[in-house]
Amino acid sequence: MDRKIRVGIIGCGGIANGKHMPSLKKVKDCEMVAFCDIIPERAKEAAAKYGTPDAKVFTDYKELLKE
């Protein structure tokens, strides 16, 4: 079975950039499809570096969860 785990990241600061996202990027069946941070540039940079081509960017975690 070829199923992917689709992940949304809430908080794209130092710990997420240093630990969480690099580790998730190595997981074969994991796709980071949404990124949220109160600083929009952080979320955009994380999406560009770690996300799928169609990854979405949010500044409100409630909107990410709703999506």
Side-chain angles (χ1 to χ4, degrees):
M1 195 181 281
D2 191 26
R3 292 177 51 166
K4 297 281 185 179
I5 298 169
R6 297 170 50 86
V7 176
I9 304 293
I10 299 173
C12 299
I15 295 172
N17 270 294
K19 301 287 181 191
H20 301 288
M21 293 186 284
S23 295
L24 287 169
K25 186 76 171 176
K26 295 176 185 176
V27 177
K28 177 184 163 198
D29 296 328
C30 178
E31 295 179 326
M32 288 177 272
V33 298
F35 298 82
C36 180
D37 199 280
I38 59 173
I39 301 172
E41 293 77 27
R42 278 191 198 165
K44 289 175 188 171
E45 288 174 15
K49 187 171 183 179
Y50 297 107
T52 58
D54 61 342
K56 295 186 180 182
V57 173
F58 300 88
T59 55
D60 181 352
Y61 77 94
K62 293 175 187 173
E63 292 299 315
L64 180 151
L65 294 173
K66 192 186 309 182
E67 185 92 15

